[in-house]
Amino acid sequence: MMNPEEKQTLNLPFTGICTFGKYPICDDIEKLNNLNADVAVVGVPNDMGTQWKSGARMGPRGVREGSTLYSFGLDGAYDIENDVMYLGPKWKVFDVGDVDVVHGDIMQTHDNTEEMLRRIVDKGVMPVVIGGDHSITAAVGKGIEDLGPFHVLQIDAHLDWADHRSGQRYGHGNCIRRLSEMDHVKNIYQYGIRGISSSLKEDVDAAHEYGATILSPKKMRELGTQNLVERIPKGEKLYITIDIDGIDPSIAPGTGTPSPGGLLYDEVNELLKAVAEHNEVVGFDLVEVAPMYDPTGMTGQTAARIMLDLLSYVLKERELKGER
């Protein structure tokens, strides 16, 4: 037992520099190997692909701020439900800052995103990405080519399978179709898709022709978590992209395109835990948090918690398999 009179350094959430999970900063990706890094968290504050309310450029800051609530001491986190310690000091997680954004030039910014992800992957470090709008996922997908071939699990309210909008092929409604065109992407599982204006019928037909699995929250609940996971080939590599609007806006209103009828936190948590046990997760992103539409800050906290949950489950599986 600790001496109650002994002074401690508490590192409370509202102190210090606001990094993701209050993990240490690495200001030079070339240093990741020297630091024995396992995970690099990178922000992509790019929302030039939005078609309605912008603001996701502030997503990385909002998620980082929300994540400080879950950062006590960096000595790991005890999960009372699973009776497991997650994210202990064995794992070396670093916040490597943000991709450089060129205002008004979405393609140059996508190029910068791709380049930064390639550099992270080249160091043998798992990428964890904070958006930004969903357009960033197409650039991330290119940047992690060397991690493939892999499947993609998308949690989202929207299909994002439009081929183009008046010639624009790299907005946030095109990103999953762009992934489908990459040779290193094997198949795509689209969970949480719902509602009117989610996509044009021809886009849905194109996704089905490709072989994508498209399930609404209602259908997901009918099938149950185990059936959802077993649709993905067991043991194969998987990249996960999470749009915060896949979550119901009652608990995550801070996004530019909210859609009622979404998934709840426990449902997403259960799915991600099962997926981490079923597949080899090579990286993930979470996008579309727009903090200014949620003055309570709950959206950033929910997003951060989902990211830390998934990171916990992925690293625990590696730990159990004796991997680093």
Side-chain angles (χ1 to χ4, degrees), residues 48-260:
M48 288 181 278
T50 55
Q51 298 172 71
W52 193 37
K53 291 183 178 181
S54 61
R57 67 183 61 184
M58 305 308 296
R61 289 192 181 185
V63 173
R64 284 182 173 110
E65 182 175 351
S67 74
T68 61
L69 176 62
Y70 311 112
S71 64
F72 294 100
L74 301 181
D75 291 326
Y78 175 67
D79 187 322
I80 192 170
E81 293 177 275
N82 297 315
D83 189 24
V84 174
M85 282 292 294
Y86 291 111
L87 296 176
K90 164 189 174 71
W91 297 107
K92 307 301 181 184
V93 181
F94 291 90
D95 191 323
V96 298
D98 292 338
V99 167
D100 191 49
V101 171
V102 182
H103 58 290
D105 193 334
I106 190 171
M107 295 312 297
Q108 188 176 344
T109 303
H110 284 335
D111 288 345
N112 290 347
T113 302
E114 177 185 347
E115 179 188 3
M116 193 162 187
L117 267 295
R118 287 189 184 277
R119 292 175 65 202
I120 291 170
V121 169
D122 185 58
K123 299 293 179 291
V125 178
M126 186 176 81
V128 171
V129 182
I130 317 171
D133 70 41
H134 217 161
S135 71
I136 73 164
T137 297
V140 172
K142 287 182 180 180
I144 62 173
E145 177 182 6
D146 288 348
L147 296 178
F150 51 76
H151 301 276
V152 173
L153 170 62
Q154 173 196 9
I155 297 174
D156 201 329
H158 307 99
L159 200 69
D160 296 345
W161 207 281
D163 186 27
H164 70 90
R165 297 288 170 87
S166 192
Q168 172 55 267
R169 302 179 70 246
Y170 285 90
H172 72 170
N174 316 105
C175 57
I176 305 301
R177 188 159 185 152
R178 298 289 83 85
L179 289 179
S180 76
E181 297 164 350
M182 299 178 191
D183 291 339
H184 57 280
V185 172
K186 298 179 72 172
N187 212 338
I188 299 175
Y189 302 83
Q190 300 179 273
Y191 291 174
I193 312 302
R194 61 188 183 273
I196 59 174
S197 299
S198 173
S199 205
L200 300 176
K201 185 179 186 303
E202 50 261 43
D203 299 334
V204 178
D205 292 342
H208 278 141
E209 184 178 352
Y210 169 82
T213 299
I214 305 170
L215 297 173
S216 69
K218 291 180 182 178
K219 190 63 177 178
M220 291 172 68
R221 290 169 184 136
E222 289 176 13
L223 291 170
T225 300
Q226 199 56 39
N227 283 329
L228 296 175
V229 171
E230 288 175 357
R231 289 168 179 259
I232 307 170
K234 184 176 176 62
E236 296 195 12
K237 291 182 177 181
L238 184 70
Y239 184 82
I240 301 175
T241 177
I242 304 169
D243 188 323
I244 199 65
D245 67 31
I247 315 302
D248 193 77
S250 62
I251 58 172
T255 184
T257 51
S259 180

Side-chain angles (χ1 to χ4, degrees), residues 19-31:
T19 64
F20 181 77
K22 299 194 79 173
Y23 283 108
I25 296 169
C26 175
D27 59 2
D28 182 354
I29 289 175
E30 298 306 314
K31 298 176 182 177

